[in-house]
Amino acid sequence: MTQRAAAIPALAEAFREHGYEGASLARLCAATGLGKGSLYNFFPGGKEEMAAAVLADVHAWFTGSVFEPLRKAEAGDPGAIGAMFDAVTVYFRSGRRVCLQGAFALGRERDLFAATIAGYFDRWIAALAEALHATGHGGPAARLAAVETVAAIQGAIVLSRALDNPEVFQQVIDQTRTRIGATGTRTASPHS
Amino acid sequence: MTQRAAAIPALAEAFREHGYEGASLARLCAATGLGKGSLYNFFPGGKEEMAAAVLADVHAWFTGSVFEPLRKAEAGDPGAIGAMFDAVTVYFRSGRRVCLQGAFALGRERDLFAATIAGYFDRWIAALAEALHATGHGGPAARLAAVETVAAIQGAIVLSRALDNPEVFQQVIDQTRTRIGATGTRTASPHS
DNA sequence: GTCTATACAGTGATAGAC
DNA sequence: GTCTATCACTGTATAGAC
């Protein structure tokens, strides 16, 4: 059990780097340091179960580190939204690290994990919309702003990777952050 | 020569639907209606050359239908930027159709086509920044707004596919369009 | 030029030894 | 539990008949 959990981060990085179809079992073995037998012992469903476990792990991390803290904005914490921007900037390494659910949404992997992927972004948008509502945005406007913000983050990852330039990630994040009036860290030096 | 050109749109759709690694030669043959021998006759470099030809074709279409028309904003046409939003909405079918260069930017395909992908987005941002500059945005602010707008479009594709909901594409596009003050069609009915 | 046949490495998955 | 060996299959690419 704990062995299985320990393999998931390595699997996640392999899926991030190579995509679902590109992450062959040979690479997954190399990434985890386990043989095929061990992997199939932990994940009887094969590659699909490994990817599902990784997506669930990512969702769990975001729930604890992003979605739940956003709820603190309801308690009157104006810095909660700013903390979200800081968290995703670190997590996605300023665009150098891919959003797995976003990447899967573009390919045929979406058919396999449609409900999981939609659930992830639904929760994100809902939590952010609540926080925006608590900080003054009107009801429907809060959800629109939440949708636009999450889209901006995903677009920032795509564009910064396309241009191979983490600074454009920072630019998009900073503009989005100031527009919706979030407090918190504004990156002074855009490097690394 | 003209036969080769006729195959490219079919190849493009196959790469869009299945991704680079997922688009097997069998599927590329089925999509084009050609045998392997014919494909290798037109594209001696194999799959990589087919994908490169597709990316070049997409770039050429955007140059003629998006980038060049944006330059008309310099001639004092305020509707040029609005026309860009209309064009990309139709082209990407409100998020149902993937941006090939954006999808490749997320995967390992980026290593193969890095210069091509970066060039595509560089041209887009440059053309849009010029148009924004001509319609009143200050110099550095114009480029920032251009970067943010292109990122918003890419994020709109990712998010609308993740939620399997073209309306969120329209929402993000409409918000971005009004924020930068572009005239043109504002989608009244968000359906299809 | 376009097809069929084929080469050969690599795929996901399984069975069985230890 | 973890490994090695092997499975049937698909991948890209090539060769050769027509």
Side-chain angles (χ1 to χ4, degrees), chain A residues 17-18 21-22 98 105-106 108 110 117-118 121-122 144 147-148 151 155 158-159 161-164 171 175 179, chain B residues 17-18 21-22 98 105-106 108 110 117-118 121-122 144 147-148 151 155 159 161-164 171 175 179:
Chain A
E17 285 184 27
H18 305 283
E21 310 222 44
V98 164
L106 288 184
R108 206 137 195 80
R110 186 186 63 153
I117 295 170
F121 284 108
D122 268 329
L144 281 176
V147 167
E148 195 183 4
V158 171
L159 197 54
R161 280 185 62 91
L163 298 174
D164 200 15
Q171 288 176 14
Q175 286 178 275
R179 183 173 353 105
Chain B
E17 285 183 27
H18 305 283
E21 310 222 44
V98 163
L106 290 183
R108 205 142 197 76
R110 187 186 62 152
I117 295 169
F121 284 107
D122 268 330
L144 282 176
V147 167
E148 195 183 4
L159 197 53
R161 280 184 62 91
L163 299 175
D164 199 15
Q171 287 176 15
Q175 285 178 278
R179 184 174 349 104

Side-chain angles (χ1 to χ4, degrees), chain A residues 25-41:
Chain A
L25 277 172
R27 276 199 262 249
L28 296 174
C29 287
T32 56
L34 300 172
K36 294 185 191 181
S38 304
L39 279 182
Y40 271 88
N41 182 40

Side-chain angles (χ1 to χ4, degrees), chain A residues 106-107 158, chain B residues 16 98-107 109 117 121 154:
Chain A
L106 288 184
V158 171
Chain B
R16 260 187 263 268
V98 163
C99 175
L100 212 56
Q101 333 250 356
F104 280 12
L106 290 183
E109 309 90 330
I117 295 169
F121 284 107
Q154 295 296 313

Side-chain angles (χ1 to χ4, degrees), chain B residues 11 16 18 31 35 47 49-50 55 68 96 103 115 123 128-130 138 146 156 160-161 169 176 178 183 189:
Chain B
L11 293 173
R16 260 187 263 268
H18 305 283
K47 201 163 92 162
E49 186 175 341
M50 299 181 210
L55 290 177
E68 289 297 338
R96 278 178 292 257
R123 302 284 183 102
L128 181 55
E130 279 186 43
S160 66
R161 280 184 62 91
F169 181 89
T176 308
T178 56
T183 62
S189 78

Side-chain angles (χ1 to χ4, degrees), chain A residues 61-146:
Chain A
W61 187 91
F62 269 81
T63 297
S65 301
V66 178
F67 305 161
E68 290 296 340
L70 274 176
R71 296 269 156 74
K72 284 200 280 189
E74 280 193 287
D77 179 2
I81 297 174
M84 179 199 76
F85 283 110
D86 292 339
V88 301
T89 299
V90 171
Y91 184 84
F92 294 123
R93 296 190 195 170
S94 299
R96 278 178 292 256
R97 200 188 203 192
V98 164
C99 174
L100 212 55
Q101 334 248 358
F104 279 13
L106 288 184
R108 206 137 195 80
E109 310 89 329
R110 186 186 63 153
D111 299 340
L112 282 174
F113 308 108
T116 302
I117 295 170
Y120 168 79
F121 284 108
D122 268 329
R123 303 284 183 102
W124 192 348
I125 291 169
L128 181 55
E130 279 187 43
L132 286 167
H133 183 72
T135 58
H137 290 69
R143 195 181 186 274
L144 281 176

